[in-house]
Amino acid sequence: MIELEPIVLPSRRATRRLAAALAPLLVPSDIVWLEGDLGAGKTFFARGLLRALGVPESIPVTSPTFAIVHEHEGRVPIRHLDLYRLGDAGELDELGLAEALEGTVAVIEWGRRLRGAIGERGIELVLEAPASGPGRLVRVRGVDARGRAIVDSLARATSLR
Ligand SMILES: Nc1ncnc2c1ncn2[C@@H]1O[C@H](COP(=O)(O)OP(=O)(O)O)[C@@H](O)[C@H]1O
Ligand SMILES: [Mg+2]
């Protein structure tokens, strides 16, 4: 796995900017894993990413905590998942969740526990609120070769700013 140096996101705007830099690099079958504690900013990042993928402002992008998966249409089909409430890989199978991700960009909150059952691929962002002070910290890494290529492009895109 390649991992970037932790990136400081001093403001919501900085978070949205990172999401906007990531969006054009994604194609169907890519997975974006969003990890971090409650309130770390996973859903906020997902909203910025989905907007940048072309989901119009008129469509709310909310936490899929209870529905587990929200389907969206941007320039590509998108699935936004929150697996916090999901029991185990058996439940994943029952709901046909892994299959439902085929041909879509998947944005998955709280997915690490079930990554083996879904697919060890894509890019992972671990968000963190610093103990004191505003903003967030994010650690970005590629899970597989494709994920590492995305991280590489993202690093290049963000350092051009
Ligand atoms: N870079 C940032 N700086 C300050 N606040 C942020 C930043 N990114 C996100 N937030 C705020 O943090 C909160 C995180 O909530 P949410 O995205 O629902 O967290 P999670 O999905 O991880 O539980 C939101 O209210 C959002 O406005
Ligand atoms: Mg959330």
Side-chain angles (χ1 to χ4, degrees):
M1 291 207 205
I2 74 163
E3 176 162 344
L4 300 181
E5 288 300 306
I7 300 170
V8 180
L9 302 167
S11 62
R12 289 175 180 82
R13 183 149 171 256
T15 301
R16 279 195 293 264
R17 216 182 283 145
L18 180 66
L22 175 59
L25 308 176
L26 300 173
V27 299
S29 97
D30 282 337
I31 301 180
V32 178
W33 304 92
L34 297 175
E35 303 293 340
D37 292 341
L38 199 70
K42 300 180 293 297
T43 300
F44 185 85
F45 185 90
R47 186 175 301 125
L49 187 62
L50 267 58
R51 294 289 177 238
L53 283 168
V55 176
E57 293 280 347
S58 56
I59 306 292
V61 175
T62 57
S63 170
T65 311
F66 294 99
I68 299 187
V69 54
H70 288 166
E71 303 185 8
H72 290 280
E73 282 298 327
R75 63 169 172 80
V76 292
I78 302 155
R79 299 285 179 277
H80 179 197
L81 289 81
D82 183 326
L83 302 183
Y84 187 77
R85 293 173 63 251
L86 208 68
D88 55 23
E91 223 179 307
L92 194 77
D93 283 347
E94 273 168 46
L95 297 171
L97 276 179
E99 295 72 33
L101 303 184
E102 280 165 26
T104 79
V105 168
V107 181
I108 307 182
E109 301 184 37
W110 296 111
R112 197 183 261 165
R113 195 168 43 97
L114 292 166
R115 191 175 295 168
I118 294 173
E120 295 283 347
R121 65 178 200 276
I123 171 175
E124 178 186 69
L125 290 90
V126 183
L127 288 148
E128 192 187 312
S132 66
R136 297 291 186 269
L137 212 68
V138 64
R139 291 181 172 77
V140 183
R141 67 183 187 182
V143 176
D144 64 346
R146 165 66 188 151
R148 287 190 288 277
I150 297 172
V151 173
D152 228 45
S153 306
L154 183 65
R156 257 180 277 125
T158 49
S159 65
L160 286 177
R161 277 156 204 282

